[in-house]
């Protein structure tokens, strides 16, 4: 906050500078306890964003921080309607958050949900003096909020960036960092609001899906173009008659394009209709699955903004017209180039092998293109499937089967009322262990759920030479006794946290394997000391009593972080997580868990209650959704290609029946004729496969960030797809060729 105030006073290129942050607080006394997203805001934020109150007022100068807490709040329109019954007397009423009382001064309208996208309540920065601690806003290195502003008149982004960077270079000197914070990123930068809103993971996911849809569109377009080419070839005699009667090439081309554009318009209208339904059905699901969050709290997908607007209609119109022209022009031009004299004299029906570039005519080029696009799409889907399966099978360092998880938190008011968090957490564990169907229970950080605390390792007996620049960040978990056993983790040496490890005994710590190897590279850490920046763990430090195999606390696919376990009674925190191992279905215990917690702590809300299997599935949902959608589009593409490939090759072979009859009359054997047809058909297929392999490599590079243990091409998937297409090509050539061999050469030649 002091750095924000200095920035506000000294930087002139950015005006209306405002601070905002987000925190979770428990609402009580208005229905069942619930954890809400509460945004903390400076009074200048709402005028900056143009947000007003539908009732009451927003924060004003009276909410500026002047060294005393301001316990007022704004509520969202949804909160006012659902929690306050849309009462016209809501202004002036009291809401209780974390046991603290806030006076409602306004209702924010226009469906505003904050910069985080899911806020229910707003409190001023000055309230943090009561919500957290009085010195909260005096600490220059308490980095729990973000800053937003507007460029001054005539100021460019680069101009503002230069001034803020210059300010940032003086931060460490003007605000000396505490021990260990020297390694924090210091300085300053400016990014546009639009850039800050972009979620890279979601953007890459959407790009992958958009690419898949485009590939299916191109395959369908090529398929239709091939069909229209075939139709155009069958209408060449008609075109010759029209030309002989005076129709020019332009007239013939216009007729063909009119037919293709009519098909495109019908398809476009159906597509827009399906899109409007798809937004309602899939919009929220995709927004939730493909990525939210972000360091600035801005990177969320706004489902409300998804609609069929003029931009979408313009895009659909351009796409429809482009596709209609694309698959209509080539057959139209081919038909228009027909020589009327040849057809009117009775010639032109006998077709010859492919001609053109590398012996491939236009239809073969389309077939090869379809195959290449399908292989690119299906290979990408195969890679995503391997990613999804790999993330599901990855060793997390603990046994996730049969485990129920939940998060909860005491409030600062509970602690001020004399409740010891360490004792409370221990009592929760003991009560839950007595529940029917519970095998074991513990508290601590829930993997892939939180809450998370990090501290700085100041030194250890294994590495006494640690300098401030070498201080390590350590993920510190206050846990109850029996944590390692309850989690099904692997104890490598020493012992687990025990019930006797409390405030009356020496500080102890259990290190994760990575932390142990880094802090004690030359031997066993048991019995040695580790000094932490956390209060009570400096000085002589904590004694290492055990080493546990690394546990993946973040999403699967990320490297394990250095962590340590400490007794919850020696390092109590208000927030904690529950891990309960059940004898049967863990989610069958949810009702009993809520009942027990309601008896033990009526004002404590349980959140994120789910099995560990569901939790792991939720954090890998993006890859599973992409796998499903890419697989769906890939299956559609494979079907289209198979049908188009079979139809095109079969039609081509059927058209060559007179040629095959002539070859037979000149002495060619049946197997020689079949071999000729197969060689020409498979040649087109192989060209498509080779191009598709290159496309698969390129596609992998585009969305490599979404892959786990990515490879350039999934050889198993690539082999499977190419095998299917080769079989289809063989059948497409063999069946009509075999049928053509049965035709009497005299009958075939008589058709000429």
């Amino acid at each position: 906050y002091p750095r924000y105030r200095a920035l506000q006073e000294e930087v002139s290129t950015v005006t209306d500078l405002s601070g905002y942050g987000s925190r979770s607080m428990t609402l009580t006394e208005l229905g069942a306890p619930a954890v809400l997203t509460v945004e903390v805001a400076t009074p200048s934020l709402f005028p900056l964003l143009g947000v007003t109150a539908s009732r009451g007022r927003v924060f004003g100068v009276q909410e500026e921080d002047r060294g005393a807490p301001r316990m007022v709040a704004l509520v969202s329109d949804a909160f006012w309607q659902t929690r306050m019954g849309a009462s016209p007397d809501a202004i002036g009423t009291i809401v209780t958050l974390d046991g603290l009382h806030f006076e409602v001064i306004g209702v924010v309208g226009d469906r505003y949900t904050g910069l985080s996208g899911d806020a229910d309540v707003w409190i001023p920065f000055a309230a943090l003096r009561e919500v957290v601690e009085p010195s909260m806003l005096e600490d220059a290195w308490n980095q729990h909020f973000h800053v937003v502003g507007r460029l001054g008149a005539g100021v460019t982004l680069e101009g503002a960036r230069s001034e803020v960077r210059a300010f940032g270079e003086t931060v460490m000197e003007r605000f000396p960092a505490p021990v260990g914070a020297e390694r924090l990123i210091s300085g300053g930068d400016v990014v546009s609001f639009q850039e800050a809103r972009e979620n890279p993971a979601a953007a890459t996911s959407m790009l992958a899906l958009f690419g898949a849809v485009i590939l299916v569109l191109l395959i369908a377009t090529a398929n239709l173009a091939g069909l229209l080419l075939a139709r155009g070839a069958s209408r060449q005699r008609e075109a010759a008659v029209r030309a002989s009667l005076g129709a020019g090439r332009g007239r013939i081309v216009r007729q063909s394009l009119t037919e293709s554009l009519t098909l495109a318009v019908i398809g476009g209208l159906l597509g827009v209709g399906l899109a409007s339904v798809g937004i309602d059905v899939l919009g929220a699901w995709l927004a939730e699955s493909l990525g939210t969050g972000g360091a600035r709290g801005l990177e969320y997908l706004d489902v409300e903004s998804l609609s069929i607007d003029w931009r979408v209609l313009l895009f659909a119109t351009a796409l429809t017209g482009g596709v209609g022209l694309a698959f209509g022009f080539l057959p139209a031009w081919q038909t228009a180039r027909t020589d009327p004299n040849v057809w009117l004299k009775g010639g032109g029906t006998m077709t010859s092998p492919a001609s053109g570039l590398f012996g491939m005519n236009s239809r073969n080029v389309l077939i090869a293109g379809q195959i290449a696009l399908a292989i690119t799409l299906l290979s990408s889907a195969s890679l995503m499937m391997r990613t999804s399966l790999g993330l599901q099978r990855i060793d997390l360092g603990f046994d996730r089967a049969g485990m129920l998880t939940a998060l909860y938190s005491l409030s600062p008011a509970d602690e001020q009322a004399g409740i010891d968090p360490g004792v409370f957490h221990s009592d929760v564990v003991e009560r839950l262990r007595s529940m029917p169907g519970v095998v074991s229970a513990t508290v601590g950080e829930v993997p892939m759920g939180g809450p998370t605390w990090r501290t700085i390792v100041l030194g250890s007996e294994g590495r006494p030479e640690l300098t401030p620049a070498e201080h390590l960040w350590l993920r510190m978990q206050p846990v109850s006794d029996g944590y390692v056993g309850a989690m099904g983790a692997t104890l490598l040496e020493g012992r687990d946290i025990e019930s006797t490890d409390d405030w009356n005994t020496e500080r102890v710590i259990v290190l994760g394997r990575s932390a142990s190897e880094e802090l004690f590279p030359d031997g066993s850490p048991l019995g040695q000391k580790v000094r932490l920046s956390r209060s009570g763990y400096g000085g002589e430090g904590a004694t290492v009593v055990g080493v546990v195999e690394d546990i993946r606390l973040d999403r699967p696919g990320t490297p394990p972080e250095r962590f340590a376990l400490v007794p919850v009674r020696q390092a109590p925190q208000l927030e904690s997580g529950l891990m309960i191992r059940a004898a049967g279905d863990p989610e069958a215990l949810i009702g009993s868990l809520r009942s027990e917690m309601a008896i033990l702590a009526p004002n404590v809300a349980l959140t994120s209650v789910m099995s560990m299997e569901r939790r792991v599935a939720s954090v890998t949902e993006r890859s599973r959704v992409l796998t499903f959608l890419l697989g769906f589009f890939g299956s559609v593409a494979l079907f289209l290609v198979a049908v188009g490939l079979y139809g095109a090759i079969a039609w081509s072979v059927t058209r060559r029946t007179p040629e095959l009859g002539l070859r037979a009359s000149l002495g060619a054997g049946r197997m020689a004729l079949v071999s000729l047809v197969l060689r020409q058909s498979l040649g087109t297929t192989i060209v498509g496969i080779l191009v598709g392999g290159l496309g698969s490599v390129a596609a992998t590079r585009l969305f490599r960030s979404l892959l786990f243990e990515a490879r350039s091409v999934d050889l198993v998937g690539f082999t499977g797809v190419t095998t299917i297409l080769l079989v289809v090509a063989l059948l497409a050539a063999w069946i009509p060729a075999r049928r053509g061999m049965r035709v009497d050469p005299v009958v075939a030649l008589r058709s000429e």
Side-chain angles (χ1 to χ4, degrees):
Y1 192 73
R3 284 185 284 158
Y4 157 70
R5 294 303 297 269
L7 187 71
Q8 189 179 46
E9 293 170 1
E10 299 179 23
V11 170
S12 60
T13 53
V14 180
T15 63
D16 301 327
L17 211 63
S18 306
Y20 71 95
S22 183
R23 60 188 300 113
S24 296
M25 300 182 75
T26 302
L27 173 73
T28 54
E29 300 180 10
L30 278 177
V35 176
L36 306 180
T37 298
V38 177
E39 283 193 352
V40 187
T42 59
S44 56
L45 180 67
F46 294 97
L48 169 69
L49 301 177
V51 175
T52 59
S54 60
R55 291 177 176 271
R57 63 177 179 86
V58 296
F59 298 147
V61 293
Q62 55 269 56
E63 276 72 50
E64 290 284 0
D65 175 58
R66 294 183 175 85
R70 287 286 297 155
M71 307 303 286
V72 296
L74 301 172
V75 299
S76 67
D77 185 71
F79 182 96
W80 174 63
Q81 294 189 39
T82 58
R83 288 285 181 170
M84 307 182 78
S87 170
D89 301 322
I91 306 304
T93 59
I94 301 297
V95 294
T96 303
L97 301 168
D98 281 357
L100 301 171
H101 303 300
F102 294 83
E103 179 187 352
V104 176
I105 63 171
V107 177
V108 177
D110 299 327
R111 303 176 64 88
Y112 179 65
T113 53
L115 291 174
S116 62
D118 62 350
D120 299 291
V121 179
W122 292 261
I123 61 175
F125 262 55
L128 293 176
R129 296 185 178 277
E130 184 74 16
V131 173
V132 184
E133 59 183 19
S135 63
M136 169 78 172
L137 300 184
E138 269 72 53
D139 184 358
W141 289 93
N142 197 319
Q143 305 189 124
H144 293 290
F145 70 97
H146 315 287
V147 175
V148 62
R150 193 177 299 281
L151 291 177
V155 177
T156 64
L157 189 66
E158 283 303 319
R161 182 170 289 151
S162 298
E163 186 181 24
V164 172
R165 284 177 177 174
F167 172 86
E169 291 174 358
T170 68
V171 164
M172 297 293 282
E173 180 181 344
R174 299 168 60 183
F175 302 97
V179 174
E182 295 90 349
R183 296 183 64 187
L184 294 173
I185 298 175
S186 61
D189 201 359
V190 175
V191 296
S192 70
F193 189 79
Q194 182 60 37
E195 182 182 351
R197 284 280 289 114
E198 292 174 357
N199 185 326
T204 305
S205 302
M206 289 296 187
L207 183 63
L209 290 179
F210 187 70
V213 174
I214 291 296
L215 291 181
V216 173
L217 174 67
L218 290 174
I219 290 170
T221 300
N223 229 331
L224 283 171
L227 291 174
L228 289 176
L229 278 172
R231 187 165 179 263
S234 65
R235 296 176 64 184
Q236 284 177 327
R237 188 182 296 276
E238 174 195 340
V241 173
R242 290 179 179 275
S244 68
L245 294 176
R249 286 187 176 182
R251 178 73 179 83
I252 296 174
V253 168
R254 282 199 304 275
Q255 177 190 354
S256 181
L257 286 179
T258 300
E259 295 173 356
S260 62
L261 284 172
T262 301
L263 289 175
V265 169
I266 294 172
L269 292 174
L270 289 173
V272 171
L274 288 173
S276 63
V277 175
I279 286 174
D280 295 334
V281 175
L282 299 177
W285 177 58
L286 287 175
E288 182 179 355
S289 302
L290 297 184
T292 57
R296 301 180 185 91
L298 299 173
E299 300 173 7
Y300 63 92
L301 298 177
D302 184 7
V303 181
E304 299 295 331
S305 67
L306 298 178
S307 63
I308 303 292
D309 59 11
W310 67 269
R311 292 167 297 183
V312 177
L313 291 175
L314 182 62
F315 175 79
T317 302
L319 193 63
T320 298
V323 168
L325 291 173
F327 70 66
F329 182 77
L330 185 60
W333 179 249
Q334 183 187 57
T335 302
R337 292 177 61 195
T338 300
D339 185 352
N341 293 319
V342 174
W343 283 95
L344 292 176
K345 289 177 181 178
T349 40
M350 184 173 294
T351 58
S352 58
S355 61
L357 185 63
F358 300 110
M360 297 180 67
N361 61 22
S362 54
R363 286 187 294 277
N364 289 340
V365 170
L366 289 172
I367 293 171
Q370 289 181 66
I371 294 171
L373 294 173
I375 288 177
T376 300
L377 181 52
L378 285 163
S379 295
S380 301
S382 178
L383 276 172
M384 285 306 306
M385 183 178 296
R386 291 177 68 89
T387 290
S388 183
L389 293 175
L391 290 175
Q392 291 294 321
R393 291 196 298 258
I394 195 171
D395 182 12
L396 301 176
F398 63 92
D399 182 10
R400 57 187 169 185
M403 183 181 290
L404 180 66
T405 64
L407 303 177
Y408 70 95
S409 176
L410 293 170
S411 69
D414 292 326
E415 193 171 26
Q416 293 170 9
I419 296 178
D420 185 315
V423 174
F424 178 83
H425 297 320
S426 299
D427 291 345
V428 168
V429 171
E430 291 304 318
R431 190 175 188 96
L432 297 182
R433 286 173 179 170
S434 64
M435 283 172 48
V438 172
V439 176
S440 58
T442 187
V443 295
E445 179 179 352
V446 176
M448 290 152 281
T452 300
W453 298 280
R454 289 176 178 83
T455 187
I456 298 169
V457 180
L458 303 178
S460 70
E461 293 182 72
R463 292 186 64 185
E465 75 284 357
L466 279 180
T467 64
E470 295 174 319
H471 289 158
L472 307 175
W473 282 102
L474 190 69
R475 199 155 171 165
M476 184 176 179
Q477 291 193 66
V479 302
S480 62
D481 60 286
Y483 173 87
V484 176
M487 291 292 292
T490 302
L491 189 66
L492 300 178
E493 57 178 319
R495 66 172 177 86
D496 198 351
I497 299 297
E498 298 177 350
S499 59
T500 55
D501 297 322
D502 58 22
W503 49 85
N504 294 318
T505 61
E506 70 169 339
R507 305 281 181 176
V508 296
I509 189 169
V510 175
L511 295 176
R513 178 174 56 81
S514 295
S516 174
E517 291 174 352
E518 188 151 6
L519 294 174
F520 300 93
D522 299 325
S524 173
L526 296 184
Q528 301 197 60
K529 302 284 188 179
V530 175
R531 293 187 301 109
L532 307 175
S533 61
R534 180 185 171 90
S535 175
Y537 284 83
E540 293 184 0
T543 302
V544 179
V545 296
V547 178
V548 66
E549 183 57 73
D550 284 337
I551 295 175
R552 293 180 185 267
L553 298 169
D554 289 322
R555 58 186 306 122
T558 58
E561 191 175 343
R562 291 185 296 266
F563 75 94
L565 311 176
V566 295
V568 69
R569 294 197 179 193
Q570 293 184 355
Q573 297 280 0
L574 294 176
E575 299 174 88
S576 191
L578 286 171
M579 282 76 70
I580 304 170
R581 191 164 299 281
D585 178 13
E587 296 198 346
L589 295 176
I590 292 178
S592 300
L593 171 61
R594 292 191 182 278
S595 298
E596 291 295 327
M597 286 297 293
I599 295 172
L600 185 62
N603 291 330
V604 171
L606 285 175
T607 61
S608 191
V609 183
M610 66 183 75
S611 68
M612 184 59 75
E613 293 284 4
R614 279 187 57 200
R615 189 175 296 278
V616 174
S618 67
V619 298
T620 59
E621 189 171 11
R622 181 187 299 128
S623 65
R624 291 187 294 110
V625 167
L626 282 175
T627 299
F628 170 76
L629 292 176
L630 289 177
F632 170 76
F633 290 131
S635 300
V636 172
L638 182 61
F639 174 77
L640 289 175
V641 169
V643 172
L645 180 61
Y646 184 91
I649 294 178
W651 180 86
S652 177
V653 174
T654 301
R655 289 273 294 173
R656 295 178 63 185
T657 298
E659 174 200 343
L660 298 176
L662 177 59
R663 290 179 180 273
S665 68
L666 294 176
R670 289 192 173 186
M671 292 308 299
L673 294 177
V674 171
S675 175
L676 172 67
V677 173
L678 291 179
R679 277 201 315 271
Q680 293 171 352
S681 301
L682 291 179
T684 302
T685 305
I686 291 172
V687 170
I689 289 172
L690 294 176
V691 176
L694 297 175
S696 300
V697 174
T700 303
R701 291 178 178 175
L702 287 177
F703 61 94
R704 182 177 295 272
S705 61
L706 301 176
L707 301 176
F708 174 63
E709 297 180 348
R711 302 178 181 179
S712 297
V713 175
D714 179 11
L715 293 179
V716 176
F718 183 80
T719 303
V721 173
T722 54
T723 300
I724 292 173
L725 292 176
L726 283 172
V727 170
V728 170
L730 282 170
L731 291 175
W734 170 260
I735 293 175
R738 188 167 175 269
R739 187 168 55 245
M741 296 307 101
R742 297 174 179 173
V743 177
D744 187 341
V746 175
V747 175
L749 292 174
R750 191 174 296 155
S751 66
E752 294 296 316

